[in-house]
Amino acid sequence: MNSENTLTLSQPDQKLSIIPSYSPQLQVPLGAELERHEMELTDSLRYYGHTSAQVAKSLNALGLFYQYMMQDQMQALFYHEQAFQIQHQLCLEDDSIATLVDMASLHEMRGETQQALALNHQALILLETLDTVSKTDPRRFSIRRSMERMSRM
């Protein structure tokens, strides 16, 4: 962020200011952080193959980076969708649920409420099929609360 609290995408080496109330200002170079995530993906592909949990994790991390740090929603959606395909293929239900919620959040940010609701609904259905999840799992409440909020829009 610069002094006007905006992020300029045309300058990948620009520093993002993070100012917590309890510590001095920290500087994180966005270009270096992006490069780190891309290297993690490259290493994961090399060591684990194209359809591994580690590759899906790296893809999802890139999706989140593009979604929240770079504000590039189309690139974020690309990485989230790639991650979800691998997670679904490998039956990584917990990771799939998280990625569906991330994609729902992205669609909500874009004003695409119906897509966001559908993805949250898909995440909720998947969550409810898991035998290991209790009825009081906080993810249930979080997804339902998000869906209720979007339904009021």
Side-chain angles (χ1 to χ4, degrees):
M1 291 182 203
N2 59 27
S3 60
E4 292 117 19
N5 292 330
T6 60
L7 178 65
T8 306
L9 298 179
S10 61
Q11 299 174 3
D13 292 326
Q14 180 177 352
K15 294 187 182 292
L16 173 68
S17 298
I18 304 170
I19 310 172
S21 59
Y22 55 86
S23 68
Q25 181 172 341
L26 304 172
Q27 296 289 321
V28 179
L30 290 180
E33 189 68 15
L34 177 58
E35 186 175 312
R36 183 182 67 81
H37 285 298
E38 289 172 341
M39 287 184 69
E40 284 179 10
L41 176 59
T42 300
D43 290 345
S44 295
L45 288 165
R46 184 179 312 121
Y47 296 122
Y48 303 106
H50 289 273
T51 55
S52 71
Q54 189 60 40
V55 168
K57 179 181 176 184
S58 295
L59 287 165
N60 206 44
L62 273 165
L64 290 169
F65 185 82
Y66 274 101
Q67 183 172 348
Y68 293 105
M69 303 302 288
M70 301 298 286
Q71 302 295 307
D72 185 340
Q73 296 165 348
M74 293 309 294
Q75 193 68 23
L77 188 57
F78 170 79
Y79 284 117
H80 286 313
E81 287 174 343
Q82 298 300 310
F84 179 74
Q85 286 179 5
I86 294 169
Q87 293 160 345
H88 183 69
Q89 180 181 354
L90 296 177
C91 299
L92 302 171
E93 287 90 0
D94 285 321
D95 293 338
S96 295
I97 291 165
T99 300
L100 286 167
V101 170
D102 291 338
M103 288 191 296
S105 173
L106 191 147
H107 281 287
E108 183 181 8
M109 290 169 64
R110 293 171 51 99
E112 300 167 347
T113 306
Q114 291 307 311
Q115 292 92 327
L117 283 168
L119 288 164
N120 271 328
H121 186 254
Q122 189 177 350
L124 190 58
I125 289 171
L126 184 55
L127 181 63
E128 290 176 352
T129 64
L130 300 179
D131 292 332
T132 58
V133 175
S134 76
K135 297 294 182 193
T136 60
D137 188 299
R139 294 175 293 178
R140 270 182 218 273
F141 299 111
S142 178
I143 293 168
R144 285 187 178 135
R145 186 173 46 248
S146 177
M147 292 174 72
E148 288 170 7
R149 181 179 34 77
M150 281 187 274
S151 294
R152 290 189 300 258
M153 295 178 154

